[in-house]
Amino acid sequence: MLCARPLLFRSACLSKSIPSRPFSKDSAAASYDVVIVGGGLSGLALAAAIGSLPLARELLNIALVDASDLTRKYNWNSDPHTYSSSVCSITNASREFLDSIGVWQHVEQSRTSPIESMQVWDGISNSRICFSNSDIDPGGSIFEMARLTENLNLHRALLHRLDEIPGRVELIDQVKVESITRSGTWPVVNLSGGRSLQTRLLIGADGFKSPVRSFAQIGSSGWAYPSHAVVGTLHHPSSNHPQHNTTAYQRFLPTGPIAFLPLTKEVSTVVWSTSVQLASILRSVHPDVLAHLINAAFRLPEVSIRYLHSILLERGADGITPESITEEIKFRENAHGIGPHSALYSSDVVSLGVGIPPIGSEAYPPLVHSVQAGSQASFPLKLSHADSYVGEGVGERTALVGDAAHTVHPLAGQGLNMGLEDARVLAQTIGEALSLGGDIGSYISLIPYHTARYAPNHAIISVIDKLHKLYSLTSPPAVWARSVGLEVLNELGPIKSALMGVAGSKTKQDMAEPLQHYGAAGWHAAATVVESLSGGIRTGKVVAGSLGGLVSSLVQNAAKNTRG
Amino acid sequence: MNRIASIRRTVRSLHSTASTINPDEIDFFSRLASQWWDPRGEFALLHRMNPVRVGFIRDKIIQTLDEDITPLDHLSPTRSARILDGMEALDIGCGGGLLAESLARLGARTTGVDASESNIKIAALHASADARLTTGINYRYGSAEEMVAEGKKFDLVCSMEVLEHVNNPRTFLTSCADLVKPGGHLFLSTISRTPLSYFLAIFMAEHALRLVRPGTHDYSKFVKPSELVEFFQHPDLAWISRTYGGIPIRKEAEIRGLIYNPLEGAWKTLPAGLSGTQCNYLFWARKPNLS
């Protein structure tokens, strides 16, 4: 039974039913208007967005190529008690886009969690910034700031949406791109198995190492951070925590930020960026050891965190048992005078889960009882930005979206949202070119996409990078300056609401308006603030320079934001 | 060598047919023709202008289609995504086929005419690379006058950035008007004759910024919007019945300024009327129906 798979994959079945053709690649090249390389979230969202264009049905022949088995993602059906540790934060702007292209309705809502507030604090000075819905609209008409969900939930939703758009997007999975060549000015994608696709427009949604970007000879600049991120699924049942697990927590430790991201009332995800050596140990320690370390990492003073890190590095993943790490944490708690009635106490998780929680518990995430078996993973952290999102000359008829165009540190949860916004704008650009009789692969048709996306992405990339660098500093003047900065920022409503515009908040009244401008203004404000801070620290003019510059830029931006 | 010979032949043949085409200009543009399709090359300004002028054509066509709908038709306004479906379009002075390809993609059966044989060759070559265009587009080397002599008529006649290059604009405009079917549309884009247009189109674009090769334009050939309105208002044609302060009524003709922002690298159309028409502008007029 050849085509027993769902409708979606009929094309893939078809491609396999055709034996390798006896003639040359060129003569076998099928002709497409759009070929997307990469079936990740950005690539699939772009396919859905282009496929949903009113003009696409008549005018476009679209294919998406991916190396993985998309059928497995299409059929993903997880046990209700296990969660994938690969999660994403979807801003309200992104959600609105997913809704407009018919994807959001396919997202399993019970496996998403709203974020109603965020707590971000300095690992050394403990100065803190709190974002909550009351910052934007004291009237309380805001429902949430962002939505967290597993990547697979969104992945499946995208595939189900594509299945609904009959005949418009051909999915070709489990094939590798062997090479990309040209036939005249049109790119030809040569796939493993001998199939070749000639295309008017080739889109690279093929990630950090983008073969399409190399083919188009588009340079990119960036670097690998000397750190990796460790992720894991955290269980914290029968929590007596004062919040209903709708608050995201992030502590900036000098080794990198650790973030606690809610998934359900009793399940959350950790994203812990730290040194490469520590990450490799954390990824392979016993899950209970990791649970203790996560609780401690949000609570113990930085000096004790450093001590725990030195123990990990000394003994390695196998040299530490849940009992031994509990003893170490207890010892540090005693040293700091942290007792069972303190919100900072974490060494006895079970007794803390019952009764009245200590005062100030809402400032820290719920205590983790266990880390889901098999959920620990780690990945390297990078920054990169392509020199252009649209190829020209030798690279003509190409465009880049998502990680192929830009890779950022996950500390702000912006990577996917940037990719989705790329998809939205590129689809809109293609729609506009179609309505003007343009050749959608031409540089002239595509350049509005580059113009609209490059500067906003650049602002986000630089803020995220500078935040990361700023918080990895430990010298007292730097810590003081950034702490003052954060506290001043915390008091300034307009900037906070602008930043939250990016984080995805909005009021019900704003529903009809596009959020993108709001977000861009926020990042520009944040960019100026961070610029002042990091610039001040670098040049040593900590007191006069950064504070003066910070306050003036805050005021200027606050003015701009309230006007705009 | 072949190309130069063919251009010489072109020039000779044009002399003998007493056409409106200026032989010096044919020679000039033939040399540029190979660069037609480089979006960053010598015709970058034209490439950037194309989406804007197609937008103007699209919007006028949609507007007139909407207005032509009688109450009875109103129940079935299911229009194709390709708004020019079923129309015959002519692009006079099509160059490398920039506008002609767009018209064909929007559904029109398009004929592109150019006085330069090498332009026609480049245009045909370029269109042949695109399977979606091969059936809807047809290029021919010739002039508007030859088309008139053959009695050809079109729903849509366009001549973009051509009027300011012809030797006898009156004859040229008469030919353009002849080629339009009753109820059909004529679209022109050109440059007005003002101190500003001298400064922008010749001094800045050709000499200071070198956006366009020096010698491309001749100030004395520039045409004012008022002259176009006057031409189409003349009783011989009577496409425009009356004007208010020099502005024709919306259902008969429209003038729109077209400005280039060098910082954004983008063209923009201004609202209908005479404001901002001191340099580049777009012109549309509709031939009255016989009834």
Side-chain angles (χ1 to χ4, degrees), chain A residues 78-231:
Chain A
S78 185
D79 150 23
H81 303 293
T82 17
Y83 287 83
S84 157
S85 56
S86 179
V87 301
C88 54
S89 159
I90 297 164
T91 63
N92 286 338
S94 295
R95 201 174 89 192
E96 194 175 303
F97 162 61
L98 291 170
D99 199 30
S100 74
I101 57 169
V103 171
W104 190 251
Q105 66 194 76
H106 293 289
V107 172
E108 190 180 333
Q109 298 300 313
S110 63
R111 292 183 81 101
T112 71
S113 170
I115 301 299
E116 287 164 355
S117 57
M118 295 198 284
Q119 301 246 9
V120 180
W121 69 101
D122 192 321
I124 297 178
S125 74
N126 282 328
S127 67
R128 191 177 276 258
I129 185 163
C130 308
F131 298 101
S132 78
N133 42 18
S134 64
D135 283 315
I136 302 173
D137 183 13
S141 63
I142 293 178
F143 32 93
E144 62 193 61
M145 297 170 65
R147 193 65 78 99
L148 275 167
T149 194
E150 297 153 278
N151 287 348
L152 279 166
N153 194 6
L154 184 54
H155 224 124
R156 180 181 59 180
L158 286 159
L159 289 167
H160 282 225
R161 168 58 185 158
L162 285 170
D163 204 14
E164 275 182 353
I165 315 175
R168 289 207 238 173
V169 180
E170 184 182 343
L171 294 172
I172 306 169
D173 68 339
Q174 300 182 69
V175 288
K176 285 204 179 94
V177 173
E178 300 264 316
S179 66
I180 306 172
T181 52
R182 262 187 204 286
S183 163
T185 67
W186 290 35
V188 179
V189 181
N190 303 301
L191 303 174
S192 55
R195 206 172 158 198
S196 292
L197 319 174
Q198 177 180 307
T199 182
R200 179 187 301 278
L201 170 59
L202 175 63
I203 293 165
D206 45 356
F208 176 69
K209 287 179 181 167
S210 175
V212 171
R213 193 179 63 216
S214 314
F215 163 73
Q217 297 185 21
I218 297 173
S220 86
S221 49
W223 52 80
Y225 290 104
S227 47
H228 282 193
V230 177
V231 294

Side-chain angles (χ1 to χ4, degrees), chain A residues 31 33 54-55 58-61 185-186 198 200 392 396-397 432 434-440 443-444 447 451, chain B residues 39-40 44 47-48 51-52 54-56 58 79-83 85 101-103 105-106 126 129-132:
Chain A
S31 194
D33 294 292
L55 296 164
E58 277 182 73
L59 302 176
L60 298 181
N61 206 350
T185 67
W186 290 35
Q198 177 180 307
R200 179 187 301 278
E392 55 178 297
E396 75 177 309
R397 298 188 176 278
E432 179 66 11
L434 284 178
S435 80
L436 290 171
D439 173 352
I440 59 159
Y443 178 77
I444 291 294
I447 199 69
T451 308
Chain B
R40 306 288 291 253
H47 280 265
R48 300 245 177 192
V52 178
V54 178
F56 178 66
R58 175 193 63 184
R79 192 177 299 144
S80 162
R82 312 206 303 166
I83 49 131
D85 257 349
E101 287 195 4
S102 298
L103 297 177
R105 278 199 195 89
L106 289 175
H126 191 268
D130 188 339
R132 286 199 187 270

